[in-house]
Amino acid sequence: MNKKWGVWMLALSLLLVSLPACSSGQSGQTANKDNQPAKAEEPKPTAAPEPVTLTMTNHKSVGFTEKDFQTYFAEPVKKKYPHITLEYIKPEKGTELEDLIAAGKTPDLIFASNGYFALLKSLDLMQDLNEYVKKYKVDLSIYDQAIMDKIRSIGDKGELYSIPFSLNYGMLVYNKDIFDKFGIPYPKDIMSFEDILPLARKINRTEDGIQYIGFEPNYGDTIAGQLGVLAIDSNDTPNFESPEYKRVFTFLKQVYDIPGQIGPNGKFNWGRNGLIKDRNVAMFLEWTNDAAAPLEEASKAGFTNWDIAALPNFQDKLGSGRTVDSHMTFISKTSKHKEEAFQVLLESVSRETQMLVSANARISSIPDKAIQANYAKNFPSYNGKNVQNIFLTKMTPSPKSSVYGSKASSIIRDEQKNMALGNKDVNTALKDAQERALKNVQEEKGK
């Protein structure tokens, strides 16, 4: 016992002798040879990021202006990432995306709609973002899942090519003055096409030299999208002889058969001007993004007594809105600053920026109640309007698109005119559209 006790005492004494060397001075400091506290090592300053300049363009995205670029991209990015400078390449003759690619000046960032997925993919331009989403721990669940599914569907191996910036919904805008003039109740918050037809029939008339139009349906291919059918699928086969297109064209024929619907010189589409300028159209189907600025300008010119109802559909499809339509930013594979480009993209889809997007009458890609409540707050013309009716519908999922979709849409709209003017019946118009679109695909592929 005495031997063990001596060993323990020796160990303890050695420990006590060593303590001053380990703990003398203040916490985080060490003692020098004179037993004086050494100065704490100063942290090395973090090197400032190297300045980076990124270029951005807009590829045929209607309504995106240089002011939008400054508001949603350049200004927010400058605040958070002062070392990043954004330059906008305005798309015009000689500087369209195709021109820039041909000149070896592909922009770092491309703003476009999902309608150009097929084209951008065929050009092998889009950078997969999965790596950066994981690195920055981006919560993709906060974004509208219909458009997220659409974006994911483009990747053959799970690639993610973008995060949505804004959405584009459909809505029904109506002129309350016309309903008041004829003593007809306003449209309900959400109505079916079956309910709209009798309402339109009550309004159509000519009075005091003005031809009043109850309902302007606009384009049939847009309505068909609400049924989940594109003009042409990813397999490059037109859909114009489908049951869905037959249903849409049958409805359109009923509209065109209302007395007074067709105007002088074969005018069958009264357009937005019929609503906001000539003011003889009572109900008009419109895209939210396309309508905001014209309605604001029309309000300044005296067109103030209007309101909004949800986008109509057939009774069994009520609540299904227009096909998925979103605007977003893509990062070019050729960019030398992909991470900085991703930081730009991420800032544009942040909650802070999205709140501003909503206030400026764009549908945010984040379906958050607070963000939706902020919709069009910066547009005085929308004050007091039933703007929340817009959100009574949800976007309709659609199949993958084809690079020949744009031309196919032009063809079906031409045949819609032939039917409206009585040159062709429903079946013939659809059959001819199918043949013309198929022929166009074959010719394009043969080039």
Side-chain angles (χ1 to χ4, degrees), residues 59-71:
H59 182 63
K60 303 184 187 304
S61 183
V62 177
F64 186 82
T65 65
E66 195 162 354
K67 182 180 178 182
D68 292 329
F69 164 76
Q70 292 293 337
T71 302

Side-chain angles (χ1 to χ4, degrees), residues 135-167:
K135 179 176 179 178
Y136 285 83
K137 297 180 173 60
V138 182
D139 181 7
L140 297 177
S141 69
I142 70 171
Y143 300 100
D144 189 285
Q145 290 307 294
I147 185 58
M148 286 304 304
D149 289 344
K150 180 78 173 178
I151 295 171
R152 288 189 183 99
S153 73
I154 301 304
D156 297 323
K157 299 178 181 179
E159 296 93 341
L160 181 74
Y161 292 121
S162 191
I163 300 172
F165 170 76
S166 66
L167 311 179

Side-chain angles (χ1 to χ4, degrees), residues 31 35 108-109 115 118 138 159 171 210 222 231 253 295 348 357 413:
N35 206 28
D108 298 282
L109 297 147
V138 182
E159 296 93 341
M171 63 180 179
I210 299 173
T222 309
K253 182 68 165 60
L295 282 171
S348 73
V357 166
R413 292 178 183 187

Side-chain angles (χ1 to χ4, degrees), residues 157-211:
K157 299 178 181 179
E159 296 93 341
L160 181 74
Y161 292 121
S162 191
I163 300 172
F165 170 76
S166 66
L167 311 179
N168 200 4
Y169 277 29
M171 63 180 179
L172 185 146
V173 185
Y174 60 94
N175 184 338
K176 295 170 74 174
D177 285 334
I178 294 178
F179 286 90
D180 292 342
K181 181 179 179 67
F182 301 128
I184 299 172
Y186 301 144
K188 298 175 184 176
D189 289 344
I190 185 167
M191 297 179 67
S192 68
F193 287 134
E194 291 88 344
D195 290 332
I196 281 178
L197 269 175
L199 194 58
R201 291 189 180 108
K202 289 180 181 178
I203 293 172
N204 272 38
R205 70 188 75 187
T206 298
E207 190 168 298
D208 299 326
I210 299 173
Q211 189 170 351

Side-chain angles (χ1 to χ4, degrees), residues 2 34 53 59 67 111 118 122 131 148 165 200 205 209 233 248 293 297 330 358 365 374 389 406 415 424 439-440 446:
N2 290 336
D34 297 323
T53 298
H59 182 63
K67 182 180 178 182
F111 189 84
S122 70
E131 171 191 349
M148 286 304 304
F165 170 76
R205 70 188 75 187
D233 282 338
V248 170
E297 289 303 310
F330 302 93
S358 183
S365 60
N374 206 42
N389 282 343
S406 180
E415 293 298 342
K424 297 180 182 180
K439 182 180 178 182
N440 175 70

